[in-house]
């Protein structure tokens, strides 16, 4: 027999095989548990949304909307897009389902797949998985600090060390006007030297030039949003820092950090890990006090973040994962196999994992399979056992075997 195919998974996608799935499942369990400890409520949203949602919320001038979205037309000619990030869908759900009526503060979390046409690289896929948390309804810097803490707690519970926190404030529409004017006059004469993207950003969203990896050196003397904060933004940032201190969280102020999305205001933050190389970001987020109003809702402050689970998985300590099984049936003949099958199903009803041969394999091969499956116990049934109404129960760890009446309670009593 040979197993060959000309098909391969599409570039930028990832197959997760059974053993690796154990690690994923464990990580996702840790994320869910932590999110619930913070009283975030789980939401799940569709794989695709109207393209317009991302144009309007993620922002026309962002890299995501400009060049990374998987956009297609359905048969009715509507433009749809595979979700490239979570926040727009969360805000849409919040508004569409009238969740603002259901309480002053809404705390959500999600674990979802996202899609972006980026250049695939280590830990960065075109279909990738994120968990995120969003809090809608509070303007308090306490929420920003609490969000940061919830992500750091997840990293800690996953035993990932070395993730660092960078923070910044990019101000609000009030103080940003002045800053953008100063920034543009600083950048004006440098434009011919800056990359193509930065030249485009200059008219669309000049603050994003501060984020450019290529031009970092050339703009190192640029004015930064921090120097232009209004009193309200300044106070908010001071509080944010003091709450982080209070929670014992170490941080680095990165005045060039602006994040890639249009909707952020005041607090922005990112989690980075040096082990991931030049694309060292694990996740990040910030406050988006303007977005919900912009999307047609009332004036509603909000804050949130997202973390790439694929990237976290690269940072997890190596551990060999194995599946195991409670019972494997070794049957000497087909009649014993049928009888044993019934016992296995009764054991499954009691919560045990069980399996048996279905390929008419030899006794030796059945025992080998029990080993390969890491079975804790083997149930052996042959003609003698059937006649006597018993089974042989073998403890695979100890190698001990004993005769037990063919009765589910008696079998369980022997474990
Ligand atoms: Zn401000
Ligand atoms: Zn640039």
């Amino acid at each position: 027999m040979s197993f060959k195919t000309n098909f391969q998974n599409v570039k930028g996608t990832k197959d997760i095989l059974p053993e690796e799935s154990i690690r994923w499942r464990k990580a996702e369990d840790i994320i869910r548990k932590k999110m619930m400890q913070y009283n975030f409520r789980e939401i799940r949203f569709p794989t695709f949304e109207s393209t317009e949602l991302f144009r309007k919320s993620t922002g026309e001038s962002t890299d995501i909307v400009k060049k990374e979205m998987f956009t297609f037309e359905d048969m009715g000619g509507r433009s749809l897009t595979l979700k490239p990030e979570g926040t727009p869908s969360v805000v849409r759900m919040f508004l569409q389902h009238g969740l603002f009526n259901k309480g002053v503060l809404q705390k959500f979390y999600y674990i979802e797949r996202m899609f972006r046409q980026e250049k695939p690289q280590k830990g960065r896929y075109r279909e990738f998985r994120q968990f995120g948390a969003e809090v809608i309804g509070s303007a308090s810097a306490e929420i920003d600090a609490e969000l940061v803490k919830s992500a750091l707690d997840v990293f800690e519970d996953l035993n990932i060390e070395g993730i660092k926190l960078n923070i910044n404030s990019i101000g609000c529409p009030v103080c940003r006007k002045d800053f953008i004017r100063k920034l543009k006059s600083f950048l004006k004469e440098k434009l011919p030297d800056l990359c193509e993207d930065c030249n485009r950003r200059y008219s669309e969203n000049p603050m994003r030039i501060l984020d450019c990896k290529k031009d970092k050196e050339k703009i190192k003397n640029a004015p930064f949003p921090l120097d232009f904060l209004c009193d309200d933004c300044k106070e908010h940032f001071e509080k944010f820092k003091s709450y982080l201190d209070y929670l014992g969280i170490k941080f680095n102020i990165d005045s060039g950090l602006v994040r890639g999305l249009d909707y952020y205001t005041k607090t922005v933050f990112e989690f980075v890990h040096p082990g991931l190389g030049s694309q060292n970001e694990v996740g990040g987020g910030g406050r988006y006090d303007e977005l919900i109003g912009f999307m047609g809702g009332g004036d509603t402050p909000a804050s949130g973040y997202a973390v790439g689970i694929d990237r976290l998985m690269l940072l997890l300590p190596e551990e060999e994962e194995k599946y195991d099984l409670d019972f494997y049936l070794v049957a000497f003949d087909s009649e014993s196999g049928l009888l044993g099958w019934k016992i296995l199903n009764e054991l499954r009803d009691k919560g045990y994992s069980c399996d048996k041969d279905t390929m008419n394999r030899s006794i030796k091969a059945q025992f080998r399979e029990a080993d390969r499956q890491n079975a804790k116990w083997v149930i052996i049934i042959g003609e003698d056992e059937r006649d006597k109404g018993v089974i042989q129960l073998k403890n695979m760890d100890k190698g001990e075997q004993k005769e037990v009446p063919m009765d589910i309670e008696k079998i369980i009593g022997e474990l």
Side-chain angles (χ1 to χ4, degrees):
M1 257 194 297
S2 84
F3 296 95
K4 272 191 191 148
T5 173
N6 292 324
F7 293 108
Q8 298 246 312
N9 65 314
V10 174
K11 190 170 125 182
T13 65
K14 182 178 165 59
D15 295 327
I16 301 175
L17 297 176
E19 271 68 29
E20 203 186 346
S21 278
I22 300 178
R23 304 178 83 216
W24 278 81
R25 170 68 56 193
K26 281 185 183 169
E28 285 165 359
D29 286 348
I30 286 172
I31 293 165
R32 279 178 210 287
K33 195 167 151 212
K34 189 50 73 182
M35 293 295 108
M36 289 197 288
Q37 286 169 353
Y38 276 82
N39 198 26
F40 296 127
R41 306 286 162 89
E42 182 176 4
I43 47 174
R44 301 180 187 219
F45 37 91
T47 300
F48 48 87
E49 299 264 8
S50 76
T51 304
E52 198 52 29
L53 175 70
F54 302 111
R55 285 218 187 102
K56 200 155 167 70
S57 53
T58 307
E60 290 282 4
S61 72
T62 58
D63 285 353
I64 292 178
V65 171
K66 275 235 133 52
K67 42 190 181 188
E68 294 173 359
M69 295 201 304
F70 283 96
T71 296
F72 58 97
E73 257 185 24
D74 71 4
M75 282 160 144
R78 284 169 288 259
S79 179
L80 304 175
T81 293
L82 301 183
K83 60 188 190 289
E85 60 146 344
T87 306
S89 300
V90 176
V91 169
R92 178 191 57 72
M93 285 171 83
F94 172 81
L95 292 171
Q96 181 182 336
H97 300 284
L99 298 179
F100 43 86
N101 291 327
K102 302 212 164 100
V104 181
L105 191 69
Q106 295 287 333
K107 302 171 78 174
F108 304 114
Y109 85 90
Y110 59 83
I111 299 179
E112 289 278 356
R113 286 163 193 246
M114 305 293 168
F115 306 84
R116 291 184 200 172
Q117 303 199 52
E118 289 182 283
K119 193 166 159 246
Q121 33 189 320
K122 191 179 165 196
R124 186 157 287 212
Y125 302 97
R126 291 182 164 182
E127 178 187 26
F128 58 101
R129 287 137 278 255
Q130 280 188 335
F131 79 92
E134 315 277 355
V135 179
I136 303 180
S138 171
S140 169
E142 211 179 322
I143 285 295
D144 301 353
E146 172 117 323
L147 282 162
V148 165
K149 173 94 168 92
S150 69
L152 292 174
D153 279 3
V154 169
F155 306 151
E156 190 181 321
D157 283 8
L158 289 170
N159 288 319
I160 297 172
E161 287 176 0
I163 290 181
K164 297 211 161 34
L165 169 66
N166 292 328
I167 65 165
N168 193 21
S169 173
I170 57 172
C172 65
V174 176
C175 49
R176 202 174 294 159
K177 275 199 197 94
D178 204 19
F179 163 67
I180 295 292
R181 207 177 304 125
K182 290 270 170 32
L183 180 65
K184 283 185 103 163
S185 74
F186 169 85
L187 290 170
K188 194 155 190 165
E189 57 198 42
K190 299 197 162 45
L191 271 185
D193 277 348
L194 302 182
C195 74
E196 200 180 310
D197 280 339
C198 285
N199 273 275
R200 174 173 55 76
R201 288 168 186 148
Y202 183 78
S203 51
E204 289 176 350
N205 186 356
M207 190 162 66
R208 295 248 11 247
I209 297 178
L210 298 176
D211 242 359
C212 183
K213 302 267 186 291
K214 289 180 217 151
D215 297 323
K216 213 178 171 92
E217 264 308 296
K218 291 175 198 150
I219 53 168
K220 64 173 190 240
N221 295 318
F224 288 115
L226 266 191
D227 301 324
F228 292 84
L229 296 185
C230 63
D231 288 346
D232 181 36
C233 288
K234 212 179 279 175
E235 193 195 332
H236 198 272
F237 192 52
E238 288 309 314
K239 278 193 174 151
F240 177 48
K241 288 187 291 180
S242 74
Y243 292 139
L244 292 179
D245 283 335
Y246 181 71
L247 296 171
I249 296 169
K250 290 203 176 66
F251 57 87
N252 165 52
I253 298 171
D254 178 353
S255 47
L257 177 66
V258 297
R259 308 279 309 153
L261 307 172
D262 278 1
Y263 51 65
Y264 285 119
T265 47
K266 294 183 176 150
T267 311
V268 287
F269 55 87
E270 67 175 6
F271 305 104
V272 296
H273 193 286
L276 291 171
S278 60
Q279 296 282 336
N280 61 2
E281 191 190 324
V282 178
R287 180 157 281 287
Y288 50 98
D289 291 344
E290 306 294 316
L291 180 61
I292 293 165
F294 185 65
M295 299 276 291
D299 195 12
T300 311
S303 193
Y305 70 84
V307 168
I309 307 178
D310 300 84
R311 319 210 95 203
L312 285 184
M313 297 309 287
L314 288 179
L315 298 170
L316 279 191
E318 278 297 327
E319 242 172 83
E320 204 193 330
E321 299 289 357
K322 269 190 193 162
Y323 280 87
D324 54 22
L325 191 67
D326 295 321
F327 291 95
Y328 195 82
L329 173 71
V330 171
F332 277 70
D333 52 73
S334 59
E335 205 173 320
S336 303
L338 285 177
L339 199 55
W341 193 10
K342 209 167 153 205
I343 296 172
L344 295 190
N345 280 328
E346 287 174 29
L347 285 166
R348 284 170 179 153
D349 286 344
K350 300 277 181 190
Y352 295 97
S353 57
C354 308
D355 212 349
K356 71 187 279 290
D357 173 60
T358 49
M359 293 156 69
N360 282 321
R361 280 181 287 189
S362 69
I363 301 301
K364 207 172 143 193
Q366 290 183 52
F367 270 110
R368 212 164 37 228
E369 188 61 19
D371 261 340
R372 204 180 69 84
Q373 300 283 350
N374 297 315
K376 286 194 204 90
W377 294 284
V378 169
I379 292 174
I380 304 158
I381 305 177
E383 204 183 340
D384 282 357
E385 281 75 22
R386 276 190 281 123
D387 287 348
K388 285 167 72 182
V390 297
I391 62 150
Q392 304 295 329
L393 182 65
K394 184 169 181 184
N395 181 321
M396 295 296 275
D397 279 343
K398 296 181 186 154
E400 288 165 5
Q401 187 174 316
K402 63 171 104 170
E403 200 169 278
V404 182
M406 201 177 278
D407 174 283
I408 193 82
E409 297 302 335
K410 297 247 164 58
I411 296 172
I412 292 170
E414 290 293 334
L415 303 180

